[in-house]
Amino acid sequence: MCGTVTAGDEGQRLTVAGWVNHRRDHGGLTFIDLRDHTGVVQLVFNPATSPAAHEIAERCRLEWVLKVDGLVGRRPPGSENPNLPTGEVELTVEGCEVLGQAEAMPMGVSDELAADERVRLQYRYLDLRRPRMQRNLRARHRFIKSLRDVADELGFIEIETPTMIPSTPEGARDFIVPSRMWPGHVWALPQSPQIYKQLCMVGGLDRYFQIARCWRDEDLRADRQFEFTQLDLEMSFVEEDEVFLVLEEMISRAFATAFDIPVSTPWPRLPFSEAMRRFGSDKPDTRFGHELEDVSDIFRASSFRVFRGALDQGGSVQALRVQAGAELTRGELEGEWLQVARTYGAVGLAYMWRRSGVYEGAIAKFLSEEEQEALTARLGLQDGDCVCFTAGRTQVAQTSLGAVRLHAARRFGWIPPKRFDFLWVTEFPLFEADPATGRIGSVHHPFTQPHPDDWDLVRTEPTAVRSRSYDIVCNGVELGSGSLRITNPAQQALIFEALGLSAEEAQRKFGFLMSAFRYGPPPHGGFAAGVDRMVMLGVGESTIREVIAFPKTQSGADPMTGSPTPVAPEQLAEVGLRLAKVLERGGTDHDGREG
RNA sequence: GGCCCCGUGGUGUAGCUGGCCUAACACGCCACCCUGUCAAGGUGGAGAUCGGCGGUUCGAAUCCGCUCGGGGUCGCCA
């Protein structure tokens, strides 16, 4: 291979094949850097050695595919290249064959040559030649292989579950697949193998796992594609500790094997309520401190109307010390920073600077001496600091200031490099109320066990019920979630009731699972972890598109294949469907037609 | 559905307080020169009307509106 030729091969006759990465034509002597995924090696074409090969070297262009054979030799003294692993040697070409020609490239292939992501995706097959993509996808392979190896070692077996399953209205929007044999009926692509893996437990396959492809028809993000890969697993006869142990083992070992990143275990466990209180997030970035502080008690009797008003309405006041934040300008705080807080629903972002022992800023004059002193003591504020506040409904105040905390961390460089802080976030609420309708829904899914102490609250105060669900979070990224499941029909009925599902509805939607649980279900629990996100973290990328060979754009399209494509009426007719109206989408690139 | 950023030759950028832009630079491409380079070098050349449409103006890549496309994000993602 190109990148593996070393001084040890001196005197050897070798054949290598690869792409022309670079060409330096001196008229007579011509150098070509030949590249494959292992690296590059310098080829020397000397008209005196082989006129035929040299003629090809003169003619060939970037990204042509060559096969050459020649003699490995040490480079002349002084002409070694210390920046290259193969820099001590070169291959003097004796024979050369052109295996493939390339037209002028629409984009550069080296990592240094930036290209618009749209162009990269349109020519993804060229983009994949980049060392960065090669590295990412090969690391992804090693990671998945390692997960499988460890799972196998721990007694798990990989079971394939169907990709055409019944559609359920719960959760994310389904991708649906019309059925030809059943006109007017549809299949759905799984959002996860949830139900099937639980049925595996009933089936006595006590340790199931799967590297599972999942689909969710929702808007795309940096860390979300509508087609993604999960490490999905389920275990019988376990409680939290066993599940945690297995995942810590699998993931820490796979990180070490695939990315050479040591991950110590066990991981800290942080209850949801504590995560919200300290970090203003259910996926806290714990690589740095600078935690939120609830300062409601200080302002309980304040004359500052903004704080007092929030407290009187049952909300809270949250504070964040921004160390060395005195350098922040009013424009910055009232522009960018306020925008961050507003995005998460905060009405405003209050702030003060501390300089020469006094507080400055618009709100300082509204705070009493006592309040200021209490703040100074509570937050440890010093000269040169800034302090930011949010006030209002506690959850909004926490999440918006939590977002400000992350913004501040980037602005002031609080985040230490090369750290991977894994943790469990536990005891998520079992239910949440839709703020618009007041309807109760499951936070995780309806089969999640309530915390054993909270059964009584299911009827009386459902939103206060904690669940036996848990997330893995690393560096502020949610990597996956899981729970212990309900297997007792009476308990399950109580949950459905709290969700406002009638017995008939529950039977219709989940009947087969409920039926299964009538025949000796083992207690079980499991987890699903996002493979794309884990690999993203492991290779240091900031979007999962960089670790997926052929991803979609944010608008859910593929510029390379020009898909999705308009459906042909004949295709629809075959499955018994007809369009109500052809909706055209896209401009220059889609030649869809109004119909 | 909302908010924010971006769209100039094949690629990446500059220009964008309107007229010296008949659009500049680098890489790539084409031709020629060059036997030790490695972001090789030299000489010459082709290539964009500035995403699209509309408007303001005597005049727009530069201002405004709409639209298409890319990215980030809130909602959404059991």
Side-chain angles (χ1 to χ4, degrees), chain A residues 144 147-149 151-152 155-161 200 205 207-213 230-232:
Chain A
I144 290 175
L147 289 177
R148 284 199 162 102
D149 290 345
D152 175 71
F156 286 81
I157 62 168
E158 183 160 19
I159 295 168
E160 293 168 277
T161 52
C200 284
L205 300 158
R207 288 193 163 203
Y208 146 95
F209 90 102
Q210 182 178 194
I211 304 297
R213 185 58 66 84
Q230 265 182 195
L231 162 65
D232 192 51

Side-chain angles (χ1 to χ4, degrees), chain A residues 377-491:
Chain A
R378 177 79 64 83
L379 297 172
L381 290 161
Q382 296 174 4
D383 283 353
D385 287 351
C386 173
V387 54
C388 293
F389 304 90
T390 53
R393 251 183 62 213
T394 299
Q395 201 189 325
V396 172
Q398 286 173 334
T399 52
S400 53
L401 197 59
V404 169
R405 171 179 175 265
L406 293 177
H407 191 71
R410 281 188 283 270
R411 168 72 169 71
F412 289 97
W414 292 344
I415 303 174
K418 293 181 181 169
R419 254 184 77 165
F420 293 85
D421 275 19
F422 283 82
L423 67 140
W424 294 99
V425 177
T426 61
E427 295 177 19
F428 278 81
L430 186 65
F431 303 113
E432 67 190 338
D434 184 319
T437 64
R439 260 199 69 159
I440 301 290
S442 292
V443 169
H444 189 56
H445 59 60
F447 319 115
T448 305
Q449 274 187 38
H451 191 286
D453 298 344
D454 292 355
W455 271 107
D456 291 343
L457 297 170
V458 170
R459 276 215 168 88
T460 58
E461 200 187 349
T463 52
V465 176
R466 292 164 298 169
S467 68
R468 297 184 80 175
S469 68
Y470 31 81
D471 278 10
I472 293 176
V473 172
C474 178
N475 296 1
V477 178
E478 182 198 323
L479 291 183
S481 57
S483 66
L484 300 184
R485 327 297 184 187
I486 298 172
T487 52
N488 176 314
Q491 292 182 335

Side-chain angles (χ1 to χ4, degrees), chain A residues 4 42 51 77 109 123 126 193 196 222 225 235 244 267 278 309 386 389 417 458 463 484 512 556-558 582:
Chain A
T4 60
Q42 171 162 289
V109 161
Y123 298 96
L126 300 181
Y196 289 92
Q225 286 271 305
M235 309 161 69
F244 288 12
W267 301 335
R278 292 172 52 193
C386 173
F389 304 90
V458 170
T463 52
L484 300 184
F512 53 101
D558 176 5
V582 177

Side-chain angles (χ1 to χ4, degrees), chain A residues 507-522:
Chain A
Q507 181 61 31
R508 189 158 40 78
K509 289 177 179 168
F510 310 112
F512 53 101
L513 185 64
M514 294 306 101
S515 299
F517 285 174
R518 298 210 305 262
Y519 304 107

Side-chain angles (χ1 to χ4, degrees), chain A residues 342-405:
Chain A
R342 274 198 179 144
T343 299
Y344 289 81
V347 177
L349 181 70
Y351 62 88
M352 299 189 297
W353 299 284
R354 185 176 172 90
R355 295 191 180 102
S356 314
V358 294
Y359 288 102
E360 298 173 3
I363 71 161
K365 62 175 175 289
F366 297 113
L367 307 187
S368 69
E369 282 285 315
E370 297 73 45
E371 288 165 351
Q372 295 192 5
E373 276 170 27
L375 269 179
T376 309
R378 177 79 64 83
L379 297 172
L381 290 161
Q382 296 174 4
D383 283 353
D385 287 351
C386 173
V387 54
C388 293
F389 304 90
T390 53
R393 251 183 62 213
T394 299
Q395 201 189 325
V396 172
Q398 286 173 334
T399 52
S400 53
L401 197 59
V404 169
R405 171 179 175 265

